[in-house]
Amino acid sequence: MSTISGTLRPKSKRDKGGGGRTAAIFLTPFFVLFMLCMIGPVVYSVVLSLFSEQKSGLGFGGAPQTTFVGITNYLQVLSSESFLQGFGRIGLYVVMYIPVMIGGAIVLALLLDALAARAKRLFQLLLFLPHAVPGVIAALIWTYLYTPGVSPVVQALENGGISLNFFSSELVLPAMVNIAVWQWTGYNVIIIYTALQAIPQEVLEAAVVDGAGQIRAAISIKLPLVLPALGVIVLFTSIGALQLFTEPSILYKAASSVTPGYVPNMWAYDAAFNRLDLNQAAAASIIIAALAAVVSYFVTRFNSRNVNA
C-alpha cells in the first residue's frame, strides 16, 4: 500500500499543474481580446478626455496643439444644459418603459405557460419575431407608421376622430418607448417563460392540492420563484436605457422636437462627429459608462437583497 500511495501522490501533483497550464492556454486568447476590445478603448477614452486640442489665432495658425487640461472636459460636459436634460429624458423613458415592458412580459409569459403544448411553440415564435428585426429597421418601420400623410395608423386614428402627432415634443418620447416595448417584450417573455419551466412540478402540484387556483399559483408560487430572472431583466434593461441611441437618431430625421443632443449618447456622437471635439465626446462617454456602472451596482444589490429575503 505504501508503494501504491507513493506512486499516486506525485501523479496527482502533475495532473494539477498540467490542468492549470491547459486552462491558461485556453483562457489566454479570451483575456487578450478582452484587454484589446474592452479595457483598451476605455483606457484610451480616459486619456483622451484629459486633453484638449487648442488652435491659435482664428484657426489658421498651423496644426492644433494638444494640451493636458485635467478634468476641464468633464466640467464642461457636466455644465452643458442639453447633456443634463438628456439624462432627464432617459429618466422619463425608464419610468415609462420598464413597468410597461416587464409587466407585459410577465403577463404574456404566464399566459404562455398555461397554454397547450402545440400553441406554446407558435406563440413563442410570434412573440420573438419583433426581436429578430434589427433595431435600425424597427425604428424605420415605426417612423413610417408615425408619419402623418403616409401612415395607415395615423390615417385610421384620424378616421376615428383622433388626431395625434407622434413627432410632437409631448409624444415623441412615448413613441420611442413604444418601439422599444415592441422589440424587447417578446425577448424577455422567453427568459421569464424559461424560468417558469424550471419550477419543480411538485411545488405546483402541492399548491393545487392546497386549493390554489391558476391566478393564486401564479402570484404566490410562480412569480416569487422567477424573481432572479426578473432581476437580470431589470439590470439589462436599465443599462440598455442608458445606451438609448438608435430610436432617437432615426426619429431625429423626421421629428423637429428631437435635437442632436436629445439623449446623452446622441450628445457624445454630436460632439465627436459634428463638432469634431473628440475630447469632450470621450469625457461624455466616460460619464455615461460610470453612471451605468453605478446603476448596475445598485440594481444588483437590490436584486440580491430581494432574492435572499
Side-chain angles (χ1 to χ4, degrees):
M1 291 298 291
S2 60
T3 304
I4 293 175
S5 60
T7 55
L8 288 177
R9 195 173 297 112
K11 185 177 178 181
S12 175
K13 290 181 178 177
R14 285 198 300 271
D15 289 341
K16 188 176 180 181
R21 284 193 295 272
T22 303
I25 291 172
F26 279 103
L27 289 175
T28 298
F30 165 76
F31 282 111
V32 170
L33 288 174
F34 182 77
M35 294 297 292
L36 289 176
C37 300
M38 301 294 291
I39 303 300
V42 174
V43 173
Y44 178 70
S45 297
V46 170
V47 173
L48 197 63
S49 67
L50 300 177
F51 290 84
S52 177
E53 290 191 351
Q54 297 177 350
K55 299 177 182 178
S56 59
L58 297 176
F60 300 101
Q65 299 293 321
T66 302
T67 307
F68 179 79
V69 295
I71 63 171
T72 302
N73 286 319
Y74 290 93
L75 296 177
Q76 290 176 348
V77 170
L78 290 174
S79 64
S80 169
E81 189 176 349
S82 61
F83 184 75
L84 298 179
Q85 287 176 345
F87 282 110
R89 295 188 184 99
I90 290 289
L92 289 174
Y93 176 86
V94 167
V95 168
M96 290 186 282
Y97 173 49
I98 290 184
V100 173
M101 190 276 291
I102 293 183
I106 290 173
V107 172
L108 289 172
L110 290 172
L111 291 174
L112 191 63
D113 188 52
L115 287 175
R118 183 171 296 180
K120 287 180 181 178
R121 295 177 184 175
L122 174 63
F123 280 100
Q124 275 182 288
L125 176 63
L126 293 176
L127 289 169
F128 193 78
L129 272 180
H131 183 68
V133 178
V136 174
I137 303 300
L140 287 172
I141 292 172
W142 279 100
T143 301
Y144 163 72
L145 294 175
Y146 290 151
T147 303
V150 297
S151 167
V153 175
V154 175
Q155 185 64 43
L157 290 173
E158 288 179 350
N159 292 338
I162 302 174
S163 180
L164 293 178
N165 180 9
F166 292 102
F167 297 145
S168 65
S169 58
E170 295 82 11
L171 292 181
V172 72
L173 192 60
M176 294 177 198
V177 171
N178 177 58
I179 298 173
V181 169
W182 179 81
Q183 191 176 19
W184 286 97
T185 299
Y187 174 84
N188 290 308
V189 166
I190 301 303
I191 294 177
I192 299 172
Y193 174 70
T194 304
L196 287 171
Q197 294 299 295
I199 296 176
Q201 194 62 32
E202 308 86 61
V203 175
L204 299 176
E205 290 174 354
V208 173
V209 171
D210 288 342
Q214 290 286 339
I215 297 177
R216 178 65 184 275
I219 296 174
S220 302
I221 305 296
K222 293 181 180 180
L223 281 181
L225 292 177
V226 299
L227 275 181
L230 292 176
V232 172
I233 292 172
V234 171
L235 175 62
F236 288 164
T237 305
S238 303
I239 297 173
L242 279 171
Q243 299 172 350
L244 181 65
F245 180 78
T246 302
E247 292 85 354
S249 297
I250 298 296
L251 289 174
Y252 168 66
K253 303 294 182 182
S256 59
S257 56
V258 180
T259 59
Y262 191 76
V263 290
N265 278 323
M266 284 183 69
W267 194 98
Y269 181 89
D270 181 62
F273 299 106
N274 293 330
R275 290 183 276 128
L276 303 179
D277 193 337
L278 292 176
N279 307 100
Q280 280 201 1
S285 302
I286 294 299
I287 291 171
I288 297 168
L291 186 59
V294 172
V295 171
S296 301
Y297 173 76
F298 283 107
V299 171
T300 303
R301 285 205 61 178
F302 180 75
N303 291 335
S304 301
R305 189 176 301 171
N306 281 343
V307 169
N308 296 328

